[in-house]
Amino acid sequence: MHERSLVQTLLNQVQQIVADDGGGVVKEIQVQVGDLSGVEPLLFESAFTELAREWFPQECRLVLDIVPVKAECRLCGQCFEVQDNEFLCPACGTGPVEVIQGDQVKLMSITVDSENSVSGAKS
Amino acid sequence: MNTRVLSVRRDIQAEQKADAAAERERLGRRGTLVINLLSSPGSGKTSLLEATARHWAGRRSMAVLVGDLETDRDAQRLAPLVPVAQLTTGGACHLELPLVQRGLQALGDPAVDFLFIENVGNLVCPASHDLAEHLRVVLISTTEGDDKPGKYPKMFRTSQAMVVTKQDLLPHVPFSIEAVTEDALKIQPELNVLTTCAIDNSGIQEWCEFLEQQYQEKIESVYEPAGNQ
């Protein structure tokens, strides 16, 4: 169940980023999970529910955005959505193809409540 | 109350991936090819390593880091043949880089030609962790069914080679090399496919030649002169 280890990594980063930005109460965490990331969203959510309780005493929502797998053919440049795990170029049929989307677990944004006005969004 | 949204847009494993890339570079520069071996439990990783060590005895140097949830049984099997360290995960389903680095330290960080990481038997979780390998190899035994690649796509997508083991059992089991190869190549068209049996040594020479070719391509051709740093 490596989702637990990934959630621990995620929460560690959230805590650091929020602390660096002036602190506050974490209300929502948005994460992109690719279909080829090896992460099972339900297991990720349940690990989050369990661990977030320890890390953030206040209620914190996890928003998962599931991203389909997209690839680009290295020969003909065709971009296509990968269906049924078939990584063959639908245009030229030869491949090889490069995965350009769908293998990521990406922390997208953190919503924070604080008493005082601080710096605001950073990129 | 002030609500703010921090835009991050960062791979949560970015730091681990950077650490793995740095370790891969360090080991490659001093002449070591790192091979991450992944498979289901009981597919024959340890037997393949024993056969590899016997084949190379005195000609190429190798060391093995063995990952298991409990016991050092596989390490005990390999210890008479090659330097070996056991990595006990204590229940965790995969290895991560810090544990691999601890194992390397336990071995005295030997400058061997080939460092094998025998991952925890599992076709799911180990696929998500970069252990600084130059080559990822997935094993599939003839006893476990030829439909595995489609069931565990990430494992096969992220591997560069697939070794079908226990080929001596082919007459006794419903397993088709053609079917497993076709299934795997849909997921990873560039996969190298090898077939072995560690009991009668069939395919072991081809496996070792494949590794030596990988050594040439990924170490000798990249870091010149090899092994002198």
Side-chain angles (χ1 to χ4, degrees), chain B residues 28-214:
Chain B
R29 194 170 288 283
R30 67 103 185 269
T32 297
L33 182 83
V34 183
I35 302 131
N36 191 358
L37 286 184
L38 307 108
S39 76
S40 312
S43 63
K45 294 186 292 297
T46 310
S47 297
L48 180 67
L49 289 169
E50 286 174 318
T52 307
R54 283 194 297 266
H55 183 84
W56 274 337
R59 290 186 295 122
R60 302 301 298 253
S61 56
M62 62 179 269
V64 183
L65 302 176
V66 182
D68 273 308
L69 272 69
E70 300 289 347
T71 84
D72 62 352
R73 287 172 192 170
D74 289 347
Q76 283 182 37
R77 279 173 57 185
L78 289 161
L81 299 166
V82 290
V84 58
Q86 180 72 44
L87 312 176
T88 306
T89 66
C93 50
H94 61 275
L95 294 177
E96 294 189 23
L97 184 64
L99 199 51
V100 167
Q101 289 170 319
R102 205 181 306 161
L104 258 178
Q105 276 180 0
L107 281 181
D109 197 18
V112 288
D113 300 330
F114 297 92
L115 173 71
F116 291 92
I117 302 168
E118 183 181 337
N119 218 310
V120 175
N122 176 352
L123 283 174
V124 186
C125 312
S128 295
H129 297 274
D130 187 342
L131 302 183
E133 69 265 25
H134 299 95
L135 183 69
R136 184 175 283 197
V137 179
V138 58
L139 275 63
I140 180 160
S141 62
T142 57
T143 52
E144 61 191 289
D146 51 25
D147 58 351
K148 288 291 182 295
K151 288 178 168 180
Y152 302 93
K154 178 154 189 178
M155 178 60 73
F156 290 82
R157 177 69 205 168
T158 60
S159 294
Q160 290 85 51
M162 173 175 79
V163 178
V164 178
T165 60
K166 309 186 189 182
Q167 72 162 337
D168 55 324
L169 297 178
L170 275 171
H172 312 289
V173 292
F175 186 97
S176 159
I177 303 259
E178 292 72 27
V180 78
T181 303
E182 187 184 342
D183 203 18
L185 289 180
K186 278 184 197 165
I187 296 162
Q188 177 50 286
E190 293 175 283
L191 202 65
N192 296 278
V193 180
L194 296 114
T195 307
T196 62
C197 169
I199 303 286
D200 65 15
N201 264 337
S202 55
I204 297 301
Q205 183 170 334
E206 290 79 1
W207 157 245
C208 290
E209 283 170 2
F210 168 72
L211 292 177
E212 288 178 19
Q213 179 202 334
Q214 291 293 309

